[in-house]
Amino acid sequence: MDKQNYSRTLMTLTPSNYYDIKTDWQYMSPTWFKKFLACEAEAIAELKQSWKPENDPTALVVGNWLHSFFESEAAHERFVSEHPEAISSRGTTKGRLKKAFKVAENMIDTLDNDDMFKKFYQGDKEVIVTGKIGGYLWKGKIDCLNLERGYFADLKTTADIYKGYYNAETHKYDKSFVYEYNYQLQMAVYQELIKQQFGINCKPYIVAVSKQAEPDKQVIDLPEYRLTNAMNQVLEAQEHIQRVITGEDKPTRCEHCDYCRSTKCLDNVISADDLIA
Ligand SMILES: [Zn+2]
């Protein structure tokens, strides 16, 4: 066990510590699990805070801008006041929202002006859930949970709802953004945690909204077999991932991500015929 990062007492999750990396040592989450599935070496380095992945900070703020709006008025006001970088401070656009945030406002408007969405997106917002899956602690945060009507919803922003991603099995661009980002894994875990915490089996929905100048929107549900397969993937992969976290197993390097390239040492020669797998 990594003593520096390991706390003996189990932390109770609250809105203020939910994203604290200390809690990620105690509770697995769909986000971290997917990081480990992508590259164990990078994920453990990030968990130990010895590596920080390059990601687009604006994209994260834009996503949270939208989420905070549908959480509550107070949450959105607080979020906007904490992000003055959304407003242009120079040139002819001074004082106005920057382009990426204007898109976020359009995304908010398209949902906020939609009757079906307004009736559907009712329930408790940003609900923290915890439980055990296969003996390990997990955490989740539900965007919108409606226990009375037996469903929950997760807001997803995406470039284009109908964009096809490369599918290694079919060698075609026929994979939807839902499966490309393994959102079925998140939905399966959330469904299980809600069931454990509240005793109700809720149906998961994704509310997708696109980042196009004129945003598209769609409520999406998941075929049962996708949820079952996702839960099986969790159960099969998590033992080893947990052993990587405790230091009992060596992390596997993917050899293709930024982290693996940044730490690569030449130790072999390969044929030009074998460069492309
Ligand atoms: Zn890697």
Side-chain angles (χ1 to χ4, degrees), residues 38-43 252-261 263:
C39 178
E40 294 170 9
E42 178 177 39
T252 306
R253 294 167 57 87
C254 77
E255 298 299 358
H256 297 291
C257 71
D258 287 348
Y259 173 79
C260 288
R261 277 185 274 120
T263 50

Side-chain angles (χ1 to χ4, degrees), residues 113-149:
N113 295 324
D114 189 288
D115 279 347
M116 177 179 167
F117 175 78
K118 293 192 92 163
K119 283 187 196 121
F120 177 74
Y121 205 72
Q122 297 290 333
D124 295 323
K125 308 289 159 58
E126 305 288 324
V127 180
I128 293 171
V129 285
T130 57
K132 274 188 178 177
I133 297 174
Y136 295 102
L137 278 169
W138 281 75
K139 64 173 176 176
K141 205 180 202 191
I142 318 297
D143 284 351
C144 179
L145 175 62
N146 193 319
L147 289 171
E148 268 165 48
R149 285 153 70 187

Side-chain angles (χ1 to χ4, degrees), residues 223-260:
E224 201 55 45
Y225 79 93
R226 293 281 189 173
L227 295 169
T228 307
N229 289 352
M231 189 47 83
N232 286 338
Q233 186 183 26
V234 166
L235 294 171
E236 277 162 30
Q238 76 170 346
E239 192 84 44
H240 167 65
I241 289 174
Q242 290 293 344
R243 291 175 67 87
V244 168
I245 293 172
T246 56
E248 291 159 275
D249 282 1
K250 255 187 90 159
T252 306
R253 294 167 57 87
C254 77
E255 298 299 358
H256 297 291
C257 71
D258 287 348
Y259 173 79
C260 288

Side-chain angles (χ1 to χ4, degrees), residues 158-175:
T158 188
D160 171 349
I161 293 169
Y162 302 101
K163 182 180 166 186
Y165 291 83
Y166 185 69
N167 182 340
E169 281 166 33
T170 61
H171 303 287
K172 286 183 193 156
Y173 286 85
D174 62 0
K175 197 198 261 186

